[in-house]
Amino acid sequence: MNIILMGPPGGGKGTQAKILEEKYGMVQLSTGDMLRAAIAAGTPVGLEAKTLMDAGKLVPDQVVIGIIAERLDQPDARKGFILDGFPRTTAQAEALDRMLAEKGLKLDGAIEIRVPDEYIVERITGRYTCGKCGAGYHDKFQQPKVAGVCDSCGGTEFKRRDDDNALTVKSRLDAYHAKTAPIIPYYDGKGLLRVVDGTQPIDVVTGQLTGIIDRSSR
Ligand code: AP5
Ligand code: MG
């Protein structure tokens, strides 16, 4: 199955994509994670992206389209994929359609994790990840079982994203409403849109998502 997870910054796309990846054996394709890897590696794409990401602005369409086109060609994407954070503009949505057609792939659904803006600052400013394995946590909503120790790998070093601050959140939300939310009707028009209530606890949101996936794969 090939799906898109849509929703605002901090809406829970990455958290849910990781859970679905484990449950269904699909791969999470997060353009944000790919860009952060490019920054860490100091590549030209990373250098171009860093300033924009730190300011909460979108990276140019051609850059992310190129990254996704390459990633979709890797063999594991044939197991099924979860697009997380792509497409984010109409041009990206149209490019994705062209890419999938060329590669003989199709989309099975586009799921919006709907979360109103007033939840987002708390979600984003409380987020942190394990520095060793990348498992995601939240100061209030998703704490490790033993304080200071990663549930997944036992790591004890954690990190926070450079763009996870209250100032940048405003620009990221503005970009979401101006550029990304308008593509939701694009998928509705194709009969692919499903919506889940992202204000519910993490496990409840997962239940809504698995319900949709299980129904559509029958
Ligand atoms: P990206 O990395 O995609 O960031 P984003 O869209 O801003 O989304 P986030 O990763 O912040 O949130 P999320 O929805 O994954 O939430 P999470 O699950 O972590 O992009 C970063 C930047 O890269 C962009 O600003 C842009 O510059 C650039 N970029 C990336 N893709 C691009 C593209 N296609 N085009 C152009 N530019 C691009 O959850 C957040 C926190 O909340 C966590 O701590 C989690 O534990 C907690 N949480 C999750 N769900 C719940 C819940 N149900 N209840 C309570 N807490 C919850
Ligand atoms: Mg994410």
Side-chain angles (χ1 to χ4, degrees):
M1 248 190 112
N2 302 321
I3 61 169
I4 302 174
L5 280 188
M6 295 186 291
K13 303 179 295 296
T15 302
Q16 297 297 338
K18 288 216 155 50
I19 297 171
L20 298 178
E21 188 174 52
E22 196 131 294
K23 182 168 163 69
Y24 295 103
M26 303 149 90
V27 286
Q28 173 195 15
L29 305 182
S30 158
T31 39
D33 287 350
M34 294 172 204
L35 290 167
R36 281 183 287 278
I39 292 174
T43 67
V45 162
L47 288 176
E48 181 183 0
K50 176 148 178 53
T51 322
L52 292 163
M53 289 171 76
D54 285 348
K57 295 190 177 143
L58 294 184
V59 171
D61 287 334
Q62 323 79 270
V63 173
V64 282
I65 291 167
I67 292 180
I68 282 289
E70 255 179 46
R71 185 62 186 84
L72 282 173
D73 283 337
Q74 292 177 23
D76 62 346
R78 294 296 179 276
K79 295 189 294 187
F81 56 76
I82 307 159
L83 284 166
D84 159 9
F86 181 93
R88 256 175 150 96
T89 63
T90 305
Q92 292 179 25
E94 291 169 354
L96 176 65
D97 281 349
R98 285 194 298 275
M99 260 185 259
L100 294 178
E102 275 164 22
K103 297 176 200 297
L105 297 169
K106 77 170 184 50
L107 264 185
D108 298 291
I111 309 179
E112 179 196 355
I113 303 180
R114 192 172 286 171
V115 185
D117 287 7
E118 59 266 30
Y119 287 76
I120 297 302
V121 172
E122 187 178 29
R123 290 271 186 99
I124 284 186
T125 53
R127 169 172 51 195
Y128 63 98
T129 53
C130 172
K132 199 165 149 201
C133 75
Y137 295 99
H138 190 281
D139 291 329
K140 183 167 160 193
F141 302 123
Q142 197 183 5
Q143 297 165 343
K145 291 188 186 84
V146 178
V149 182
C150 175
D151 295 343
S152 303
C153 74
T156 52
E157 305 240 330
F158 295 88
K159 57 182 186 185
R160 291 183 192 256
R161 272 168 49 177
D162 291 343
D163 59 344
D164 276 354
N165 56 72
L167 262 184
T168 311
V169 172
K170 164 92 177 70
S171 323
R172 285 160 66 191
L173 277 172
D174 287 348
Y176 179 73
H177 290 297
K179 309 249 175 74
T180 308
I183 66 174
I184 293 172
Y186 179 83
Y187 290 106
D188 199 13
K190 291 172 177 285
L192 290 173
L193 181 69
R194 302 287 179 275
V195 180
V196 300
D197 177 2
T199 66
Q200 298 297 310
I202 293 172
D203 58 333
V204 177
V205 178
T206 304
Q208 296 177 56
L209 291 168
T210 56
I212 291 171
I213 293 172
D214 293 344
R215 276 195 300 278
S216 44
S217 55
R218 255 183 231 143

